[in-house]
Amino acid sequence: ARSLDKLYNFADCSGLHLIFALNALRRNPNNSWNSSNALSLLKYSASKKYNISWELGNEPNNYRTLMGRSVNGSQLGKDYVQLRSLLQLIRTYSKANLYGPNIGRPRKNVIALLEGFMKVAGSTVDAVTWQHYYIDGRVAKVTDFLKTRLLDTLSDQIRKIQKVLNTYTPGKKIWLEGVGATSAGGMNNLSDSYAAGFLWLNTLGLLASQGIDVVVRHSFLDHGHNHLVDQNFNPLPDYWLSLLYKRLIGPKVLAIHVAGLQRKPRPGRVIRDKLRIYAHCTSYHNHNYVRGSITLYIINLHRSRKKIKLAGTLRDKIVHQYLLQPYGKDGLHSKLVQLNGQPLAMVDDGTLPELKPRPLRAGRTLVIPPLTMSFYVVKNVNALACRYR
């Protein structure tokens, strides 16, 4: 109870919503889920009127490896139906959201598990969840984060999961509910470095373009090395990247055409773009920009600078640049970043620094330095798609 109190109070005062994953490995002799412990916890949290969403278990495909006990998809589905029934018995949670099954990488056996689950419990969950890790944490090196082949692995996984959902529950939402640069808790000086941001930003852009609108990050603090803040609560590079993303990027995704990048693949040749450009309507919550502004975000994996000219209605608009680069002598390994040449650090324990843009005059070519991530707000475009929520 004390742990739940602390967790809920942290989420509540941070303006976050808590999703609590119940223990799926408390089992009866016939391998069905033993819900007695969960029921105690549900009754306690209801007595405190905690607003919580629920889940059951984590990466069920790994239970045999970790615990010597396997649960197949249809059994897991029955367990979820049982949990939904429990929630409906408790007035506070009769309409609470339920998510799952939080599977790991969708290989053949995992897809079979998901299919079994969806047959039985597809209608009971509000979103289907899965986890994705790009690299085996034991073999990661800094150049791994620059491999376009690695960045593209996510697309294939989304397609596999969408195929299952289209069969059983067309239109059901998919959430990426666990993502990190590397598995096994990540690698010190790698998954908490500037370089890991290439994967993180590409993940956000790619998922948004595929219609996946919720991404849950592993983790905020203290677990492995994929976290966003260090042991002293100082923000790490991915924290600043996430903060900029939340400040500048709205949920509406825009199609983008880049002349010169859309080359036709020749037989036997795969084009893997090292310059990745995404576009959204600028966040409506950012009062520095009027409705109708758009934000581009750009990942340059080239070891040379690239130049981009804005065309059409974008050509004669003022642009605000937010360029993130590593700070200090560690380069891509750095745990410090600079924004438009100024190092980013907390002002004090409770105060974030001002994230100041660099205004670029209308018509100016965007110069993207090598191995960088950047955001460009094109002001006052009055884009029709961005004028209304």
Side-chain angles (χ1 to χ4, degrees), residues 228-272:
L228 293 177
V229 299
D230 69 17
Q231 296 297 316
N232 299 312
F233 305 105
N234 293 312
L236 290 160
D238 275 4
Y239 180 95
W240 298 115
L241 187 56
S242 305
L243 182 62
L244 273 170
Y245 190 94
K246 295 294 277 187
R247 292 264 178 97
L248 300 175
I249 304 294
K252 196 170 284 187
V253 184
L254 304 174
I256 190 163
H257 179 81
V258 186
L261 275 190
Q262 266 78 357
R263 298 164 292 165
K264 289 183 179 175
R266 296 199 300 269
R269 178 168 176 242
V270 179
I271 293 172
R272 297 193 182 277

Side-chain angles (χ1 to χ4, degrees), residues 137-328:
R138 291 161 294 195
V139 296
K141 52 188 185 294
V142 76
T143 51
D144 285 335
F145 298 117
L146 309 179
K147 291 178 180 173
T148 52
R149 184 180 282 108
L150 188 72
L151 270 64
D152 293 337
T153 56
L154 189 56
S155 297
D156 182 49
Q157 294 198 14
I158 296 166
R159 280 193 294 272
K160 287 178 181 176
I161 291 169
Q162 283 173 334
K163 187 178 177 183
V164 175
L165 265 61
N166 289 340
T167 303
Y168 296 101
T169 52
K172 179 75 69 176
K173 281 191 173 295
I174 301 173
W175 286 11
L176 181 56
E177 213 200 48
V179 62
T182 59
S183 62
M187 289 283 283
N188 191 23
N189 295 323
L190 288 173
S191 44
D192 50 4
S193 70
Y194 176 85
F198 296 122
L199 289 182
W200 179 224
L201 188 57
N202 189 67
T203 298
L204 295 173
L206 186 65
L207 290 172
S209 67
Q210 298 273 349
I212 294 173
D213 52 10
V214 173
V215 183
V216 179
R217 166 78 188 213
H218 274 191
S219 59
F220 185 70
L221 172 73
D222 207 31
H223 174 72
H225 301 285
N226 285 326
H227 47 236
L228 293 177
V229 299
D230 69 17
Q231 296 297 316
N232 299 312
F233 305 105
N234 293 312
L236 290 160
D238 275 4
Y239 180 95
W240 298 115
L241 187 56
S242 305
L243 182 62
L244 273 170
Y245 190 94
K246 295 294 277 187
R247 292 264 178 97
L248 300 175
I249 304 294
K252 196 170 284 187
V253 184
L254 304 174
I256 190 163
H257 179 81
V258 186
L261 275 190
Q262 266 78 357
R263 298 164 292 165
K264 289 183 179 175
R266 296 199 300 269
R269 178 168 176 242
V270 179
I271 293 172
R272 297 193 182 277
D273 290 320
K274 289 192 165 196
L275 191 67
R276 295 177 179 235
I277 306 177
Y278 298 98
H280 288 231
C281 298
T282 304
S283 172
Y284 298 135
H285 300 296
N286 192 323
H287 301 303
N288 295 323
Y289 301 110
V290 298
R291 291 275 178 98
S293 300
I294 69 169
T295 302
L296 309 172
Y297 48 109
I298 302 174
I299 301 166
N300 183 12
L301 295 170
H302 289 278
R303 295 182 181 274
S304 58
R305 69 179 188 173
K306 295 295 167 185
K307 295 182 178 180
I308 296 173
K309 275 190 176 296
L310 299 180
T313 53
L314 308 184
R315 182 182 292 139
D316 58 350
K317 304 298 181 189
I318 291 173
V319 175
H320 277 184
Q321 171 186 277
Y322 297 82
L323 172 64
L324 280 176
Q325 292 173 288
Y327 179 69

Side-chain angles (χ1 to χ4, degrees), residues 29-240:
N30 66 355
N31 211 32
S32 64
W33 179 51
N34 184 330
S35 61
S36 57
N37 180 260
L39 185 59
S40 300
L41 189 140
L42 287 169
K43 285 178 176 176
Y44 173 77
S45 57
S47 73
K48 306 283 276 191
K49 294 187 167 53
Y50 288 161
N51 176 21
I52 299 177
S53 296
W54 303 94
E55 203 167 42
L56 181 59
N58 175 57
E59 292 196 81
N61 46 288
N62 284 336
Y63 289 171
R64 181 184 286 282
T65 308
L66 296 174
M67 304 294 294
R69 185 163 206 171
S70 63
V71 179
N72 64 31
S74 58
Q75 179 59 58
L76 192 64
K78 291 172 189 171
D79 301 337
Y80 264 78
V81 171
Q82 184 183 347
L83 174 54
R84 175 58 84 187
S85 299
L86 276 186
L87 293 173
Q88 287 169 343
L89 289 174
I90 299 169
R91 183 182 296 176
T92 305
Y93 300 122
S94 60
K95 294 182 179 175
N97 285 341
L98 178 61
Y99 305 110
N102 212 358
I103 54 170
R105 185 182 301 172
R107 297 186 177 104
K108 196 171 181 180
N109 63 319
V110 181
I111 288 295
L113 188 150
L114 181 62
E115 287 176 334
F117 175 83
M118 295 306 293
K119 278 180 197 172
V120 176
S123 61
T124 68
V125 290
D126 295 280
V128 171
T129 57
W130 105 101
Q131 299 192 22
H132 177 74
Y133 298 94
Y134 282 95
I135 308 170
D136 183 333
R138 291 161 294 195
V139 296
K141 52 188 185 294
V142 76
T143 51
D144 285 335
F145 298 117
L146 309 179
K147 291 178 180 173
T148 52
R149 184 180 282 108
L150 188 72
L151 270 64
D152 293 337
T153 56
L154 189 56
S155 297
D156 182 49
Q157 294 198 14
I158 296 166
R159 280 193 294 272
K160 287 178 181 176
I161 291 169
Q162 283 173 334
K163 187 178 177 183
V164 175
L165 265 61
N166 289 340
T167 303
Y168 296 101
T169 52
K172 179 75 69 176
K173 281 191 173 295
I174 301 173
W175 286 11
L176 181 56
E177 213 200 48
V179 62
T182 59
S183 62
M187 289 283 283
N188 191 23
N189 295 323
L190 288 173
S191 44
D192 50 4
S193 70
Y194 176 85
F198 296 122
L199 289 182
W200 179 224
L201 188 57
N202 189 67
T203 298
L204 295 173
L206 186 65
L207 290 172
S209 67
Q210 298 273 349
I212 294 173
D213 52 10
V214 173
V215 183
V216 179
R217 166 78 188 213
H218 274 191
S219 59
F220 185 70
L221 172 73
D222 207 31
H223 174 72
H225 301 285
N226 285 326
H227 47 236
L228 293 177
V229 299
D230 69 17
Q231 296 297 316
N232 299 312
F233 305 105
N234 293 312
L236 290 160
D238 275 4
Y239 180 95
W240 298 115

Side-chain angles (χ1 to χ4, degrees), residues 10-25:
F10 167 76
D12 192 44
C13 74
S14 304
L16 302 170
H17 178 69
L18 182 63
I19 304 171
F20 191 96
L22 296 161
N23 187 348
L25 282 169

